[in-house]
Amino acid sequence: MNFLRFLFLSFVVLLVGCRESVEKNILEAEEVAASEVVSSEVDALTQIDNASEEIELLDWCYENEVYIEEEEICALIINCIDYDSCVAWGNAVIAELEETFGSLVLEESVATGDEGITVLTTYDVDNKDEAIYTNANISKEEMDYHANLWFSFSWLIPEKYRDDINRFEVFESGDTLAYVSLHDKYGKYWTLGMNNKNIELASETLVTYLHEYAHFLSLNQIQIDYWEDEKGCKSLYLQDSGCFYKDAYLNDFYKRFWESGGNGELEDFYVSKYAMTSPEEDFAESFAHFVLTQTPTGDTVREQKLLFFYQFEDLVELRTEILSRASTWVVRSVVENE
């Protein structure tokens, strides 16, 4: 059986990237003088350092980062202590990244016309050891490349939020960048699939990873009763997904944005053309933009969809943790590809 531990030093020319826990960072922040607490977006901007020549690289991480040993990654130190300060901190991180690297949600991929998916290699994932395994007879070069594909995703998503994604597939396709799917009969464990061809834009990779994670977040067994048919469903039933529980994210999202139509330009309703496809895709695209763009201040339906996620404190916490990782991921991704 082939086995590979992920090492930071194994990066190839590939896109690679906090809660060691938010609680830990909150404790660290509370030990700092009260004057250092982020209380507004303007103050938060002063807390962020660019990953540039001015930042000293300390072995694994820059001096404004923390090394998460269990996951073997570096994450930006989270400098917020409550809901409001974490929203402001996240917006400040995004503003800094946008100033340096441009939009974090820019996408340019086009389909090649080679439709369909051909799975090349399937791996079991050990999230605790940050390792992938396969019985397939593949070269070390291929496995290293596939390991970095997985690691570029796992860098962004904290381990505790992806425990049930325990299978990884690498595939060829001309019109699909990635996918997630259930792979066990009890409805618990998921597969993440990634296109073998590297996505050129770091921003598009970020959107793709968060889009697929949003599907897992909104379509897992906590959100859907897989065993209830349409006739017996007392809540939202979507043909491609199943019967959603009453407190499911997508149940609320659907009622607010899909149950009745509206008037206006399409760009006022959706963050992307792909979001128009279905409620599930709209949710996934909107979630990615919720994480990677600053809090909207307008009142279009598109902006209301992003503001939808802010009503959930757990999702704001998740946004904060992902941004602490996305910041270090983008810096290394761009440096590796220059």
Side-chain angles (χ1 to χ4, degrees), residues 23-59:
E23 286 86 356
K24 179 176 179 180
N25 286 305
I26 287 175
L27 289 174
E28 292 175 350
E30 288 175 341
E31 294 172 358
V32 180
S35 61
E36 295 183 2
V37 173
V38 179
S39 59
S40 70
E41 198 163 321
V42 174
D43 292 335
L45 276 169
T46 66
Q47 305 289 338
I48 302 169
D49 295 317
N50 256 336
S52 66
E53 298 175 344
E54 299 175 359
I55 297 179
E56 181 183 359
L57 185 62
L58 305 175
D59 294 329

Side-chain angles (χ1 to χ4, degrees), residues 176-238:
T176 299
L177 296 178
Y179 59 77
V180 290
S181 62
L182 277 167
H183 71 76
D184 77 307
K185 63 181 180 180
Y186 300 108
K188 179 175 175 60
Y189 294 111
W190 288 68
T191 296
L192 170 69
M194 289 189 194
N195 197 311
N196 192 52
K197 185 176 181 180
N198 194 20
I199 304 172
E200 292 184 3
L201 289 178
S203 58
E204 186 158 26
T205 304
L206 284 173
V207 173
T208 298
Y209 290 169
L210 293 180
H211 175 107
E212 296 306 328
Y213 182 76
H215 282 318
F216 165 74
L217 180 71
S218 59
L219 302 176
N220 64 58
Q221 63 176 349
I222 298 174
Q223 302 288 311
I224 298 178
D225 183 351
Y226 297 127
W227 320 118
E228 188 62 81
D229 61 19
E230 184 173 5
K231 184 177 180 180
C233 185
K234 304 300 183 184
S235 182
L236 171 67
Y237 187 92
L238 294 178

